[in-house]
Amino acid sequence: MEVREVTLAPGEPYELRLTGRGARGYVWTWRVSGDADAVSVAEGPPAGAAEPALPGATVERVYAVSGRAAGRARIRFAQVRPPYPDEAPYDEFVLDVTVSGAGG
């Protein structure tokens, strides 16, 4: 599991790219802990979405993380297969975000 730390100002975006395994039934989910109101997370279109992916190919997923208010949040991404909720994640990624009080 990789852990990355970033510092953002309120309103500042951060783009995170994670390798997807959708052809194998895996999706990335995320959970925010700590100061959950300090950040927002949104999934964007897959990287290279203009080009069709080959069958069985991995597709890079893009997530936009933005600072909202001063605080510290931990975002835990887990790659899981929804039909099997008791199965351990295939992969995990943790993003520790510090949002500064005013403009970085």
Side-chain angles (χ1 to χ4, degrees):
M1 171 175 48
E2 182 179 347
V3 178
R4 188 178 302 169
E5 295 181 22
V6 297
T7 300
L8 301 174
E12 182 179 0
Y14 178 79
E15 184 177 271
L16 177 65
R17 294 171 177 260
L18 299 172
T19 302
R21 289 178 178 79
R24 296 186 187 119
Y26 288 93
V27 297
W28 283 103
T29 62
W30 66 86
R31 181 173 299 159
V32 181
S33 60
D35 297 324
D37 291 339
V39 296
S40 66
V41 182
E43 184 174 0
E51 303 170 13
L54 297 174
T58 59
V59 177
E60 193 172 58
R61 307 303 299 185
V62 179
Y63 298 89
V65 177
S66 295
R68 295 182 61 195
R72 293 178 150 216
R74 171 169 272 203
I75 308 167
R76 179 185 171 270
F77 291 87
Q79 198 170 45
V80 298
R81 294 192 300 175
Y84 306 100
D86 296 330
E87 189 176 89
Y90 179 83
D91 198 4
E92 293 180 284
F93 183 92
V94 172
L95 185 65
D96 286 328
V97 182
T98 301
V99 180
S100 61

